[in-house]
Each structure stands twice: as C-alpha cells, then as structure tokens.
Amino acid sequence: MSQQTLSERETKDAQNAVKSDTKPNTKKLFIKTYGCQMNVYDSERMADVLAPVGYAPTDTPDGADLVVLNTCHIREKAAEKVYSNLGRLRKIKNARAETDRPMTIGVTGCVAQAEGREILRREKSVDLVVGPQTYHRLPEVVAKAMAEGPQVVTDYSVEDKFEHMPLARKKQVQARGVTAFLTVQEGCDKFRTFCVVPYTRGAEVSRPLMQIMTEARSLVDAGVREITLLGQNVNAWHGESASGIPIGLGELLHELAAVDGIQRLRYVTSHPNDMDDGLIAAHRDLPVLMPYLHLPVQAGSDRILKAMNRKHTAEKYLDVIRRVREARPDIAISGDFIVGFPGETDAEFEETLALVDAVRYSQAFSFKYSPRPGTPAAGMDGQIAREVMDERLQRLQSLLNRDQLAFNQASVGKTCEVLVERKGKLPGQWLGKTPWLTSAWFEGDASIGDMVTVELVEAGPNSLRAHLS
Ligand code: SAH
Ligand code: F3S
C-alpha cells in the first residue's frame, strides 16, 4: 500500500484531465458534515469539485460509491465521533467489497489535517485523508486512491484552492436553498491557547474582493437571497478595492450590498479586537446587513482572558458591544463560552455570569473546556474536574436560556420581514428567519424565497410564531 503526497505537477495534470473528460453523473457521493459553518460550505464545494468527474450527491451512505466524512477537531467529542462513524461505514464497505460497486471512504476537514496518517493507522477502511487546503485536488486523489491504495494529502497548498474549484452550477445552488454561506477568510493567526483552529486551518488568508464578488453574483443569479460571509476571524478580512485601496470587511459588505438581488447579508465569526469603526458603521448604514452579531468572548474574567491569549479585557468587549448597539440599537448579540478553562476559580466563573448579565445575549453557545493535543492550555496546571465543569455549564446555560427566551418574548408584537426558507411540518406552514436570526413560522400563502412581512405573535424558547400581515 502506498501512501503518497501528491505533487503540484500531478495536480495540474489531473485538473487538465478533469476538464477534458467531463462525464455524466453516474456515481453517488455522500458527504457527512461535522463542525462549523465553514465545513458546511466546504462540503458543498467538495461536491462541486467532484460533480464534473461524475459524482452526484445522495443522502445516505448505503448506496454511495464515495463517502466523505468532513470532520471537526475543535473538541474531543467531535473528533471521536468520526471514529465511531468510520466503524459503521467499515461494515457497509466490507459487505460491498466483493460486488461491482465497492465503496471508497474519505476523511476530510480538521481531523484529517490534525491527525493525517494516524487516521489510516486507526481505521484501515479509510482510502483517503485530505486536509482543508487541498480540496481542489480531490478528483485526482480519489482516482489515485482507487488505483493505488490509501492517499494522505495534508500539505498546505501553495496555490489558491478557491481559484481551482469550479463555482456550483445553478441547479446545485437551487437545490441548496435560498440562503448560502460564502467563505471570505480562512485560518487563524490568533493562537488562543485552547484552540486547534490555527493548526487545522493554517494562517489567516483573505480571499480577494473580485473572487468573492464573482461567487456572490453567481449565488444570487441562482436564486440565493441571503449570504452569510464566513471566516474563523471573518472581521479580520482585508483586501483591495478595484482602485487598489486597502479595505476591510465593512467595505466588502458595502460592495456586496450593491449587488442586485442580495436581500440579506450576515457574517460569522468575529473577534472583538477586529470590530473596527468601518464595520460598526456598516451596521448603521446598510439596511441589508442584518442586525445580528456573533461575537465570542469565552470568559468574563480578565485573568482567564489573558491565559487564553485573547488580548482583550471584559471591559473592552463590553465597550465594543456598546458601540455596536449605538450604531444599530436593535442588534441581536450572540456569543460562545468555555467553562472550566485550566485554573478557572469559582470567583472567575462568576465573572462570566456577570458578563452574561451585562450583555443579554439573544442566543449563545457554551462548552466545557476540552484539552486539545498540541495547544498550550492542554499542558497547563489546574485542569478542572468534570463535575465542576458540569455544574458551571449548567449554571451558565440556565442564564443564557433565560436571556434567549426574554429576547424572543421582547420580539412579540414587532412587525418584521421573514425570508421563507422551507415548508413546515404541517400543510400550509412555512419556516424562515427574522432579521435577528430567530426561527419564525407562520401559516398562509407563501413560497420559498419570499420575503414576507409578519407580525410576531408568540415566543417559544427557540422560535417565534408569526402572522402574515
Ligand atoms: N472560529 C471558528 C471556530 C470557532 S470554534 C468559527 O468560525 O466558528 C467555536 C467555539 O468552540 C469557540 O468559540 C469556543 O467557544 C469553542 N471552543 C474552541 N476550542 C475549544 C476547546 N478546546 N474546548 C471547548 N470549547 C472550545
Ligand atoms: Fe471544527 Fe475545524 Fe470548524 S475544528 S469548528 S470544523 S474550523
């Protein structure tokens, strides 16, 4: 069995081969996505890259010729899920081994990047391991794995993968719905001491303005109405205007807002230190920029923030929120939290609760600290006992749930627009999102893609009932 890293030369050859040899869709591709929105976006782009070589998406692994697990490494639980899933896939693969439809199994995403060859050692049924920076090489890696045996490609490519990935065809985009993700920035230079992203996604890279505009226009042409810009530090995006002037995310949002047919823009995930004045002003000046900001803080204690290498205090974070609210008073704020970072005392945890009280989040995500291999925090003294983390998480979540319900209740009586995304469970029911990213449902006459005006009439913990107005 050969485990090779492919050269740039081979990649070029394979791409040329792909161009001249476009086959009809005859093989089935199943992609299972774990982790963040960027993985959701990547999975779509992998499907787009594999379509010209004959792979059509399917929604079960059973009859699939190629199964891809697009993995997440952020917490131990997420990473371990991959191996239990691979165990199940191995059984399907073995049952198919002697038939004329053998199954190929690929592992992509952040576990692929972090563990590389180790995955082949732990799970023999895997045929290819491909890291996030080399998805444009998938067609050739799949072909090589089928011909020669397992392949591992986890180098950071010198070429721009986005340049080498085809844009989705209209039909594919339409099948995915009226909202879409668009990665504009990838990777992270911030090296928070708990976080694996700098190791799995590499250094911060911004995609050029023109590439983003082209992709946005093609999404809108296919019927997409809402675009969410993605990046691990999306507000660190920087580029150049057409006239060569350095610009940031605020200006990028202005450019996108001018594209005919874009009705809503959002962006995730932001870092407080990169919330510059231009971006804050965009929240005041751009009606298509939705009043929602995901701004993780992780903890409320300055000592813990420092140990996390976050380079801002709780007060600085609150100041950013204050400025954003001045620009856009109705903005919904969401966040991420980690409880039980090494050394976190009860009093320091209380500071997190105090910060939550001060912000009043519309929604938030909270996690128990999970030591990740290779990160500085994993080796720190004072690792916190599981029971303590459990208790802290429960206390934090009960505050966050209280605030989420209060936010939803405060929306009742408001009139707003809802972008209709899909049908509800019952006939005549429709589901969509409010500008504040709350799920809303209503009954009546509508179609997917409509922007309807509704009155919000009833609040639940996770959604709002609305009436067409
Ligand atoms: N910035 C990326 C990924 C963030 S990871 C994005 O675009 O979504 C999402 C959240 O996971 C982080 O904000 C943090 O709250 C949590 N997280 C990251 N590393 C963690 C760890 N080692 N243990 C527990 N939670 C973690
Ligand atoms: Fe997970 Fe990688 Fe996203 S580690 S959270 S899939 S960037």
Side-chain angles (χ1 to χ4, degrees):
M1 262 197 270
S2 65
Q3 296 173 358
Q4 294 160 358
T5 297
L6 299 159
S7 71
E8 296 297 328
R9 176 75 257 149
E10 287 170 307
T11 307
K12 290 263 150 39
D13 290 347
Q15 269 148 8
N16 292 339
V18 168
K19 269 186 211 128
S20 58
D21 181 21
T22 301
K23 294 177 197 154
N25 289 346
T26 50
K27 290 170 278 181
K28 297 250 169 287
L29 165 68
F30 174 74
I31 306 185
K32 165 105 184 131
T33 308
Y34 304 84
C36 65
Q37 293 103 326
M38 194 165 285
N39 263 10
V40 174
Y41 173 83
D42 286 346
S43 291
E44 291 177 351
R45 297 310 300 273
M46 284 192 253
D48 299 341
V49 165
L50 289 164
V53 289
Y55 285 94
T58 177
D59 48 19
T60 130
D62 298 301
D65 299 281
L66 173 60
V67 174
V68 173
L69 301 185
N70 192 16
T71 62
C72 173
H73 200 241
I74 203 82
R75 286 169 292 276
E76 190 181 351
K77 240 191 186 159
E80 285 307 313
K81 255 191 231 160
V82 176
Y83 289 101
S84 53
N85 222 321
L86 281 172
R88 277 194 291 277
L89 286 174
R90 188 200 318 128
K91 294 199 183 87
I92 308 178
K93 179 174 167 143
N94 288 345
R96 291 245 305 269
E98 301 308 322
T99 70
D100 58 353
R101 301 252 332 268
M103 181 191 266
T104 303
I105 299 179
V107 177
T108 62
C110 293
V111 178
Q113 188 63 43
E115 296 187 3
R117 264 164 226 288
E118 172 69 11
I119 297 172
L120 295 185
R121 203 188 56 74
R122 272 184 74 174
E123 185 51 66
K124 300 272 184 294
S125 63
V126 173
D127 300 290
L128 49 126
V129 175
V130 178
Q133 301 316 321
T134 37
Y135 292 157
H136 56 299
R137 289 158 70 178
L138 266 174
E140 158 228 4
V141 181
V142 171
K144 244 184 131 121
M146 280 158 58
E148 297 171 18
Q151 303 290 317
V152 177
V153 186
T154 53
D155 45 335
Y156 290 114
S157 187
V158 289
E159 59 202 0
D160 176 359
K161 68 172 166 181
F162 294 108
E163 283 278 351
H164 293 83
M165 288 200 281
L167 288 175
R169 295 189 196 130
K170 206 165 187 163
K171 242 175 58 201
Q172 287 164 318
V173 178
Q174 280 162 348
R176 289 169 190 163
V178 295
T179 63
F181 293 131
L182 200 177
T183 293
V184 300
Q185 178 280 339
E186 196 173 346
C188 185
D189 295 340
K190 293 199 161 59
F191 291 92
R192 267 78 47 123
T193 52
F194 55 82
C195 188
V196 289
V197 169
Y199 313 97
T200 63
R201 292 277 171 170
E204 263 179 42
V205 176
S206 293
R207 291 178 69 187
L209 175 68
M210 283 309 145
Q211 223 185 58
I212 296 166
M213 297 304 289
T214 304
E215 189 167 333
R217 285 195 197 97
S218 89
L219 290 171
V220 173
D221 283 347
V224 168
R225 295 287 159 259
E226 172 178 310
I227 295 180
T228 301
L229 306 182
L230 299 182
Q232 271 95 10
N233 285 301
V234 70
N235 56 343
W237 182 88
H238 55 91
E240 266 186 13
S241 71
S243 51
I245 300 166
I247 56 172
L249 186 65
E251 286 93 346
L252 173 61
L253 288 164
H254 273 271
E255 295 278 340
L256 287 165
V259 172
D260 237 10
I262 289 192
Q263 294 186 315
R264 288 180 160 188
L265 289 169
R266 303 181 187 275
Y267 61 93
V268 283
T269 291
S270 300
H271 191 282
N273 290 355
D274 293 317
M275 285 307 296
D276 63 24
D277 292 343
L279 180 54
I280 293 177
H283 278 285
R284 183 191 62 215
D285 299 335
L286 293 176
V288 295
L289 179 56
M290 291 296 103
Y292 173 88
L293 175 65
H294 182 67
L295 199 64
V297 62
Q298 318 299 356
S301 140
D302 288 344
R303 193 190 72 82
I304 295 293
L305 288 170
K306 190 152 193 238
M308 288 176 165
N309 191 30
R310 286 193 56 91
K311 300 206 167 86
H312 66 79
T313 58
E315 189 44 44
K316 160 106 198 270
Y317 176 82
L318 291 172
D319 184 55
V320 172
I321 304 259
R322 226 167 7 244
R323 282 161 51 221
V324 173
R325 281 189 165 142
E326 254 166 48
R328 182 77 207 232
D330 70 332
I331 198 160
I333 305 288
S334 82
D336 291 348
F337 295 90
I338 296 176
V339 301
F341 184 84
E344 184 185 66
T345 64
D346 282 333
E348 284 163 344
F349 170 66
E350 297 284 339
E351 292 183 71
T352 299
L353 301 181
L355 183 135
V356 167
D357 266 335
V359 174
R360 301 266 162 177
Y361 291 92
S362 69
Q363 45 178 284
F365 306 90
S366 44
F367 311 97
K368 286 182 265 187
Y369 169 72
S370 168
R372 306 308 293 130
T375 59
M380 286 179 185
D381 291 340
Q383 301 285 329
I384 305 290
R386 182 156 300 273
E387 308 78 69
V388 175
M389 286 207 256
D390 286 338
E391 202 242 352
R392 287 183 188 169
L393 188 66
Q394 211 189 351
R395 285 182 65 197
L396 174 61
Q397 287 185 340
S398 76
L399 275 198
L400 293 169
N401 291 341
R402 172 204 71 185
D403 290 350
Q404 181 170 323
L405 181 63
F407 181 89
N408 291 351
Q409 283 166 341
S411 310
V412 171
K414 282 188 185 169
T415 296
C416 69
E417 287 188 322
V418 165
L419 174 62
V420 182
E421 292 177 19
R422 56 197 166 89
K423 285 186 173 159
K425 279 201 193 100
L426 300 174
Q429 250 183 18
W430 299 95
L431 298 176
K433 298 272 177 1
T434 68
W436 309 284
L437 203 67
T438 322
S439 295
W441 65 273
F442 65 90
E443 282 164 4
D445 216 11
S447 346
I448 291 168
D450 285 354
M451 191 72 85
V452 296
T453 304
V454 301
E455 191 195 340
L456 302 170
V457 294
E458 195 187 327
N462 299 310
S463 67
L464 293 156
R465 191 160 67 85
H467 281 162
L468 279 176
S469 49

